[in-house]
Amino acid sequence: MLAIAGGKGGCGKTTTAVGLARALATPGTRPLVVDADLDMPDLHHRTGVDRQPGIDEAVARGDPRGVAQPARRFPGIDVLPCDGADTATAAALFERLADEEGPVLLDCPAGASPDAAAPLRAADRTVLVSTPRERSLRDAAKTAAMARELDTPPAAVVLVRSDGRVDPGELLGCDAVVHVPELSEPPLETEESAARHRQCAKSLSKRNI
């Protein structure tokens, strides 16, 4: 289970979560992407699924995979929205997901609040997402520190809107860095974006994540 996290809102976490899930999909394996951003849920909108059912229903039924919806815009992955869930219910769901087979990706909220800590606490490793801007990188470094404290250390860094000139590896304490360039089209609709997410998935596979 991977926490897709970053300290700054709007840095590309949801795009990375969906793109990486698509890259991790294989015949017979459907990655599950869960919206863990309770305050600003966006995953359902980006993937073309309904706002409900979501985390509340998954906990009530005890069947996250059964409640998840196939992503209409991106075949091959399933999506679990969080609309209406509270912190305690979401945390219970994240803990339950540890027993699920196949890739699970948690689209985390920004910052260092309890809501941001809950998915990090449950995940196995973190994929940090940032832009090359100094403020975004500083916020990502704070997220990296929190992830390590919660025993979910960074496994990879995805630097979006990046021309490759900034190397955040030392700052973020992770040498597996994937640069996603500025793209004129919606990122998830480009082959360039797909190629970079496949690169990230390959890096994670090499590390036995």
Side-chain angles (χ1 to χ4, degrees):
M1 182 158 55
L2 296 168
I4 314 301
K8 187 172 176 58
C11 66
K13 293 186 297 296
T14 300
T15 297
T16 299
V18 175
L20 185 54
R22 293 170 70 193
L24 291 169
T26 61
T29 299
R30 295 179 63 88
L32 174 63
V33 189
V34 181
D35 198 339
D37 192 344
L38 307 186
D39 290 330
M40 300 184 66
D42 185 48
L43 181 63
H44 64 283
H45 174 70
R46 300 289 296 278
T47 54
V49 305
D50 298 329
R51 297 173 70 96
Q52 293 286 354
I55 286 177
D56 285 350
E57 183 70 15
V59 172
R61 287 174 50 181
D63 183 15
R65 291 276 183 181
V67 172
Q69 305 169 55
R72 298 189 189 109
R73 294 178 182 167
F74 307 107
I77 67 174
D78 294 323
V79 174
L80 189 60
C82 70
D83 188 51
D86 59 27
T87 301
T89 303
L93 185 278
F94 302 150
E95 292 297 334
R96 181 180 181 85
L97 288 171
D99 297 326
E100 291 291 319
E101 294 186 4
V104 176
L105 298 88
L106 305 178
D107 182 16
C108 300
S113 68
D115 283 348
L120 290 172
R121 186 175 290 111
D124 297 302
R125 298 294 290 273
T126 300
V127 174
L128 293 171
V129 184
S130 177
T131 71
R133 294 182 178 274
E134 182 179 354
R135 181 177 176 182
S136 182
L137 288 169
R138 287 200 309 265
D139 289 341
K142 294 176 184 177
T143 300
M146 180 170 66
R148 291 189 178 92
E149 186 176 335
L150 296 172
D151 198 26
T152 314
V157 177
V158 176
L159 208 60
V160 301
R161 300 191 289 277
S162 170
D163 59 11
R165 290 184 291 181
V166 174
D167 182 2
E170 184 175 353
L171 173 66
L172 302 180
C174 182
D175 59 4
V177 180
V178 175
H179 296 269
V180 180
E182 185 82 49
L183 299 168
S184 57
E185 301 178 56
L188 289 171
E189 297 178 13
T190 67
E191 175 55 33
E192 181 67 25
S193 172
R196 300 305 173 104
H197 290 119
R198 287 194 295 268
Q199 180 185 347
C200 185
K202 184 177 181 180
S203 174
L204 293 171
S205 297
K206 286 182 177 179
R207 293 163 184 259
N208 296 319
I209 303 301

